């Protein structure tokens, strides 16, 4: 096993462990569902939201068949990303893919265990009398976004092109 793959696997495990541990603690230890809205900072609250859709709650009304198809697509994506991670020679790419895979598996576990993804972080800002809310998200979402950002960074780093022989 090469070094980039090792770091990628560590990223998968860390993202998955932190995501699932936070969700389990908030659901069963802290009992966030009974707590309601819990202010953490002036711009952030903890609030329990069950997301049956995908990003931003899209496709949340697709029913069991749609949910099953969505799970299948996500499983195929995880396999494809894992193959990419195993083949890359770049530690940055392997870690980025590991974060995306770990986050995707974390949300996949939620769907299998609860029928929906457990989201709990709500960012908001009050400007005058108006309150602006961001969508509710979790640590798996943070890992996925960080992984995508790292892939974008890697794509713009300006690696020299391989020259033909």
């Amino acid at each position: 096993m090469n070094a980039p793959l090792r770091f990628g696997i560590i990223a998968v495990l860390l993202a998955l462990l932190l995501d699932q541990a936070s969700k389990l603690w908030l659901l069963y230890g802290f009992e966030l569902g009974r707590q309601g809205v819990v202010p953490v900072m002036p711009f952030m609250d903890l609030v329990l939201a069950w997301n049956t859709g995908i990003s931003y709650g899209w496709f949340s009304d697709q029913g069991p068949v749609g949910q099953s198809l969505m799970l299948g697509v996500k499983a195929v994506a995880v396999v494809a990303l894992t193959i990419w991670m195993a083949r890359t020679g770049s530690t940055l790419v392997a870690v980025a893919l590991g974060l995306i895979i770990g986050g995707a598996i974390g949300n996949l576990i939620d769907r299998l265990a609860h029928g929906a993804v457990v989201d709990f972080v709500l960012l908001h800002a009050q400007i005058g009398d108006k309150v602006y809310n961001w969508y509710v998200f979790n640590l798996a979402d943070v890992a996925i976004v960080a992984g995508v950002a790292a892939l974008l960074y890697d794509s713009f780093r300006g690696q020299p092109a391989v020259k033909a022989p």
Side-chain angles (χ1 to χ4, degrees):
M1 179 183 313
N2 62 25
L5 180 57
R6 242 188 330 272
F7 283 111
I9 291 170
I10 290 169
V12 169
L13 296 174
L14 279 174
L16 182 57
L17 177 69
L18 290 173
D19 173 65
Q20 288 298 297
S22 65
K23 290 171 181 173
L24 290 171
W25 181 76
L26 285 167
L27 282 174
Y28 304 111
F30 187 69
E31 296 183 340
L32 185 57
R34 287 188 7 182
Q35 301 284 339
V37 177
V38 179
V40 177
M41 291 183 229
F43 58 88
M44 183 177 99
D45 297 336
L46 294 178
V47 58
L48 181 59
W50 296 98
N51 184 357
T52 58
I54 57 174
S55 296
Y56 307 105
W58 294 346
F59 306 116
S60 59
D61 58 349
Q62 296 302 308
V65 173
Q67 294 291 329
S68 296
L69 287 173
M70 192 168 29
L71 284 174
V73 168
K74 288 182 180 193
V76 168
V78 166
V79 170
L81 292 172
T82 302
I83 291 168
W84 182 8
M85 183 176 71
R87 292 181 178 175
T88 189
S90 165
T91 301
L92 176 61
V93 171
V95 169
L97 292 168
L99 290 172
I100 295 168
I101 293 165
I105 292 172
N107 284 341
L108 188 66
I109 289 171
D110 286 3
R111 290 190 189 284
L112 293 172
H114 307 291
V117 173
V118 178
D119 288 329
F120 55 86
V121 177
L122 172 63
L123 298 179
H124 53 83
Q126 183 167 351
I127 301 172
D129 291 335
K130 183 114 170 126
V131 176
Y132 298 91
N133 293 312
W134 189 247
Y135 72 102
V136 183
F137 60 95
N138 59 43
L139 294 183
D141 300 330
V142 172
I144 291 167
V145 168
V148 169
L151 287 176
L152 285 171
Y153 170 77
D154 182 71
S155 73
F156 291 116
R157 279 196 318 178
Q159 296 290 337
V162 176
K163 294 183 180 181

